[in-house]
Amino acid sequence: MLVASLLTLGSPDQLTGGYLYHRRLAELAPRHGARIDLVALPALPFPLPAAAAGRVLRRVAGSDVVVVDSIAAAFLAPWRVGPPLVGSLHQPPGGIDHGPARRRVQAALDRAVYRRCALLVLASETLADGLPAVPTQVVPPGRD
C-alpha cells in the first residue's frame, strides 16, 4: 500500500473547501491502494510555521511520498524532505490573501519548494504560469 502524507497548514478538520477536499482524498485513497495521512503545520503568523517544519517532516519521513498543499509550501523552503515531494496547487505561488510584499517573498519560497517536487498537481491550467520546469498534471477538484 502506498503511504502518502498530505502536508497542509492548520487543522485538517476545518470546514473550508480545501480541507474538505483533503479529507475526501484521504477517504478515497484506500480504493486505489493508498493511505493518505493528513499532517499539518501550525497556523501561526508568517513565517513562523517554518520553525515547526523540521519536527513535522520527521513525522512523515517514513511516507512513500509527501504531498505539500500550496498554502504550506513556502514553509518547507529551508528544509530538505526525505521522501519524494509532490505539490498540490490550488493557488498561484505567493498565495492570494496577502499584500504585495509578502506575496513576492512567499512566491519565491513556494517556487523553491516546487523546483524540488517530482510532480505538481494543479487545480487549474491557469496555475501553470510562472512555475518551475517540473512535470505537471491538471486535476480539477471534484473528480473522484
Side-chain angles (χ1 to χ4, degrees), residues 57-129:
L57 289 172
R58 282 189 294 279
R59 285 182 43 212
V60 304
S63 300
D64 296 311
V65 63
V66 173
V67 180
V68 60
D69 186 321
S70 55
I71 64 171
F75 305 117
L76 297 186
W79 300 93
R80 292 291 168 222
V81 180
L85 191 60
V86 170
S88 176
L89 285 67
H90 55 88
Q91 63 180 6
I96 57 174
D97 296 332
H98 319 295
R102 174 168 169 190
R103 265 197 317 272
R104 276 192 302 278
V105 170
Q106 186 171 324
L109 295 170
D110 286 345
R111 285 188 188 96
V113 171
Y114 298 152
R115 277 191 293 279
R116 299 189 327 240
C117 289
L119 175 69
L120 299 176
V121 179
L122 312 179
S124 165
E125 294 231 11
T126 61
L127 295 173
D129 290 341

Side-chain angles (χ1 to χ4, degrees), residues 8-28:
T8 191
L9 180 68
S11 172
D13 295 325
Q14 294 180 62
L15 296 177
T16 64
Y19 295 95
L20 293 169
Y21 177 72
H22 294 161
R23 289 197 303 275
R24 181 75 172 139
L25 286 175
E27 176 186 310
L28 293 172

Side-chain angles (χ1 to χ4, degrees), residues 1-5 33-37 62-66:
M1 175 177 282
L2 175 79
V3 177
S5 292
R35 183 182 88 219
I36 297 177
D37 298 325
S63 300
D64 296 311
V65 63
V66 173

